[in-house]
Amino acid sequence: MSGRSPSSSATFPAPPPPSAATFDPAFVPDATVVVQQASVWFGHKVALTELSCSFGPGVTGLLGPNGAGKTTLMRAIVGLLPLNDGQIHVLGHDPHRERDVQQSIALVPEDEAVPPALTARQLVRYTAALHRVSDRSLPDRCLATVGLLEVADRRVGKFSKGMRQRAKVASALVTDPRVLVLDEPLNGADPVQRVALIELFHALGDQGRTVIVSSHVLHEVERLASRQIVVIRGRLAAAGEHHAIRDGLADRPRSVLLRSPQARELAARLVGLEVVRGVTVDGQTVVVTSARAGELAELLPRVARDARARLLEVRPLDDSLESVFRELLR
Amino acid sequence: MTVTPPPPPAAPAPPPGPSPAAVPPHGGRGLPSPFVAVVGYTLRACLPAKRWWGVLLPCLGAVLFGWLATVANASTQRAFAFVAEQGLFGLVLPLTCLVIGDAVLGADVRAGTFAFTWLSPVRFPTIVVGRWLGGWLVALVTLVPALVIATLIAGIPEGAGAMAVAAASGSAAYIGVFVMLGVMARRSAVWALAVVFLGERLLGAALSGIAQISPMWETQQVYAGLVDDAAGWRLLRDGTPNGWGAVVRLVTILVVTLAIASWRLAHLSPTAGDE
């Protein structure tokens, strides 16, 4: 199965608790990780508030601005953090209380904490031994997979940030996890390694593993996973495919870039339209802001014809996840 | 709620990188058991160079204490009894064990690297005992020989065996105590120093009830009970077991502290929570 398109719709407010009959894009039918009304707080600081969602086989992006609660959610999913309220089940088990389920879970943490005195090979072999891996060649194969075999006998304390991340990925892979949680795994990786890691995560998802990835590099998350869970201020802000999430925000202003040699004539016609909220002109470029982008798209050919303007380019400016964050934060 | 697990993954590591067959396994040995892996990790990862200095310097101090007994203006046995009480059992033993005991678990938790161990199906008692054993092995090759050498330098060859038993059993219990404190308190070194100097040295000197559960006093009683003519050295203390009885007491302390540490690990959040 392909885990990249489990849902095509989007949701915005915090969803109700899941049930088998609910077709909610925050939930997937074949869930391996189920988060129910999860709340976590540290003293007076609330990190997660009644967050409910689920993750299934394939790659799912976990998105949100800094401090949104992504790392807290990921740590709670693998059991490192106990919930103050709510429940998390991984493969039907509580990951914080039931040690056996750790056999099937792996985390690549974002922080740079690695045992600095260990070599990459020692680190991966240690993890393999803890998980009773019987194949003694597997640690080296995992190091080769992330491109660290050549430096496997160097101490991870001497590694660059990107190399450390890759060592942690190798350490996670060696456990053969069914649920793989990766917190900013592309941090510090060079472009070639980024591409390789993204391919790796896709392949892992295609194998039927549940891969949950967070990243600040949003265009890479769009490449990584079409299904996304957006967390803002500890709450579920949106879920679904990122295009669907964006479409769900159709009633909010969107900007479209037009390029035409007759930019001024085009802008003059556009200003008169009811669907247009604002127009800016800069040379051959016109940026139109509209709350009803669909209607604008239908009107645009006629307006261009009336203005005798030749359209060289029409491009939505804010179809990225950055713009989704911006909109959701309002 | 019904959770449907996915089909088991086929192969662990897919596309990029060389094919599995292209990578020969490193070394000729298989992977160790989880317990052995934990002990190995403790020895490799938990004691960096700074910690080794923290272990070796008190050991050097122990040897100097032994020499000090030879230059004191008293009989050899009386001088060594004083040096052993104040220097070896009262200072070198707890400080060395503090450095080791805190390193093997508490420091790992505080550094955030304990997550690599926590995120495994290994039971907490296995982890705790493995970490403790790794630390004790370090004590057995550093602290115990240092205390025995101090005894020999002081001119008490007949006390070397008793000192070896006392140092081995005392360090076992002490490291257990500091492993427990390492997972129970964020500022575990401060708590450990408070336990040693306020609890054991001050209160333990006055209250035999505290001395009975004090690794410092019980270690001293192991030595005093096992050497000949112990009473003449003024190391024996009324109201506390000595000799092998004190060894049993130290083992009891060890078991209790490791059990508490295991319980605590199950309720621990091994990483800082906020982003």
Side-chain angles (χ1 to χ4, degrees):
Chain A
M1 65 158 280
S2 169
R4 298 186 208 171
S5 318
S7 172
S8 58
S9 57
T11 185
F12 299 99
S19 71
T22 303
F23 296 100
D24 187 328
F27 298 92
V28 289
D30 49 353
T32 51
V33 178
V34 180
V35 182
Q36 290 176 288
Q37 301 288 310
S39 295
V40 176
W41 53 82
F42 308 105
H44 294 294
K45 183 186 173 192
V46 177
L48 292 179
T49 306
E50 296 180 346
L51 193 145
S52 297
C53 62
S54 68
F55 302 87
V59 185
T60 304
L62 187 59
L63 303 170
N66 279 335
K70 302 187 300 294
T71 298
T72 301
L73 177 59
M74 291 181 133
R75 287 174 181 170
I77 285 173
V78 299
L80 279 176
L81 269 181
L83 298 177
N84 293 103
D85 199 11
Q87 289 181 320
I88 289 181
H89 285 101
V90 177
L91 303 169
H93 300 276
D94 180 345
H96 186 68
R97 296 182 188 279
E98 298 176 58
R99 298 290 292 159
D100 288 340
V101 77
Q102 293 295 337
Q103 185 72 47
S104 307
I105 305 174
L107 169 73
V108 175
E110 181 198 6
D111 54 51
E112 293 197 46
V114 287
L118 291 190
T119 67
R121 178 173 279 123
Q122 286 170 341
L123 176 65
V124 178
R125 284 174 64 87
Y126 175 58
T127 311
L130 292 183
H131 285 77
R132 295 184 181 277
V133 173
S134 55
D135 181 355
R136 66 190 176 94
S137 69
L138 189 56
D140 278 8
R141 279 158 46 204
C142 292
L143 285 164
T145 298
V146 298
L148 286 181
L149 190 61
E150 299 295 318
V151 292
D153 291 319
R154 275 177 57 188
R155 291 185 173 189
V156 289
K158 304 281 184 191
F159 277 5
S160 67
K161 186 172 186 176
M163 291 168 79
R164 284 183 197 181
Q165 286 298 95
R166 283 189 279 146
K168 286 187 271 185
V169 170
S171 181
L173 289 179
V174 81
T175 67
D176 194 13
R178 289 171 66 187
V179 176
L180 178 59
V181 180
L182 303 124
D183 196 358
E184 309 276 356
L186 304 176
N187 267 5
D190 63 45
V192 175
Q193 285 299 335
R194 280 169 186 262
V195 171
L197 286 172
I198 288 172
E199 285 177 12
L200 172 64
F201 301 150
H202 276 159
L204 291 167
D206 290 343
Q207 286 178 3
R209 299 169 203 263
T210 300
V211 182
I212 305 170
V213 189
S214 76
S215 174
H216 284 118
V217 186
L218 299 180
H219 67 272
E220 281 175 346
V221 179
E222 290 175 353
R223 288 172 56 199
L224 260 172
S226 58
R227 180 177 185 249
Q228 275 126 24
I229 300 285
V230 184
V231 178
I232 294 178
R233 292 173 188 149
R235 292 176 180 275
L236 182 75
E241 285 193 85
H242 79 269
H243 289 297
I245 293 171
R246 194 65 189 84
D247 290 345
L249 293 164
D251 60 337
R252 304 200 180 205
R254 297 173 75 174
S255 297
V256 180
L257 181 144
L258 311 174
R259 204 157 58 79
S260 167
Q262 296 80 31
R264 289 189 174 279
E265 292 82 350
L266 187 61
R269 295 271 177 176
L270 287 167
V271 165
L273 295 178
E274 189 185 342
V275 297
V276 172
R277 183 173 286 189
V279 177
T280 58
V281 184
D282 183 10
Q284 290 194 349
T285 304
V286 181
V287 176
V288 189
T289 306
S290 170
R292 284 138 63 187
E295 289 180 47
L296 175 65
E298 288 175 10
L299 289 170
L300 193 57
R302 184 166 58 80
V303 173
R305 191 185 61 223
D306 292 348
R308 298 178 186 278
R310 191 159 58 95
L311 290 173
L312 302 176
E313 184 181 2
V314 178
R315 176 163 55 90
L317 281 179
D318 50 3
D319 204 25
S320 66
L321 282 164
E322 282 94 338
S323 70
V324 174
F325 282 168
R326 256 196 327 269
E327 294 296 321
L328 290 170
L329 276 168
R330 284 182 185 172
Chain B
M1 174 180 32
T2 303
V3 176
T4 309
S19 67
V23 182
H26 177 74
R29 292 171 299 168
L31 294 168
S33 71
F35 181 74
V36 174
V38 171
V39 176
Y41 176 93
T42 309
L43 296 172
R44 284 186 180 125
C46 294
L47 286 153
K50 277 184 187 173
R51 290 272 178 180
W52 273 109
W53 281 112
V55 173
L56 293 176
L57 282 176
C59 291
L60 180 62
V63 175
L64 292 177
F65 275 124
W67 172 77
L68 193 63
T70 65
V71 297
N73 188 19
S75 72
T76 304
Q77 291 191 340
R78 289 294 287 276
F80 183 68
F82 180 77
V83 162
E85 182 182 15
Q86 299 298 319
L88 300 182
F89 301 129
L91 207 60
V92 171
L93 177 72
L95 286 184
T96 310
C97 292
L98 169 57
V99 173
I100 296 171
D102 182 60
V104 297
L105 192 53
D108 200 33
V109 172
R110 292 194 300 275
T113 46
F114 184 63
F116 287 96
T117 305
W118 198 98
L119 288 167
S120 71
V122 181
R123 307 283 170 203
F124 292 125
T126 305
I127 295 171
V128 169
V129 173
R131 292 298 181 96
W132 166 82
L133 180 58
W136 192 46
L137 289 175
V138 172
L140 288 180
V141 298
T142 55
L143 178 64
V144 175
L147 294 185
V148 171
I149 289 169
T151 312
L152 294 173
I153 288 175
I156 320 282
E158 68 274 17
M163 181 59 82
V165 174
S169 54
S171 60
Y174 249 135
I175 290 172
V177 169
F178 295 135
V179 165
M180 179 191 71
L181 285 174
V183 293
M184 292 195 74
R186 185 168 285 271
R187 297 177 184 276
S188 56
V190 176
W191 280 101
L193 289 172
V195 165
V196 170
F197 292 105
L198 297 179
E200 292 188 297
R201 291 205 70 160
L202 286 180
L203 292 177
L207 305 170
S208 62
I210 288 181
Q212 286 181 17
I213 55 168
S214 155
M216 178 192 297
W217 287 103
E218 290 298 343
T219 305
Q220 181 176 313
Q221 294 311 297
V222 172
Y223 178 75
L226 292 181
V227 290
D228 292 335
D229 195 22
W233 294 21
R234 294 185 181 176
L235 285 175
L236 277 178
R237 178 171 174 163
D238 291 338
T240 55
N242 62 68
W244 292 108
V247 172
V248 172
R249 181 62 59 91
L250 287 169
V251 171
T252 306
I253 292 170
L254 170 65
V255 171
V256 170
T257 53
L258 294 188
I260 293 172
S262 300
W263 170 83
R264 176 66 185 134
L265 270 191
H267 298 81
L268 192 70
S269 299
T271 58
D274 47 356
E275 292 179 73

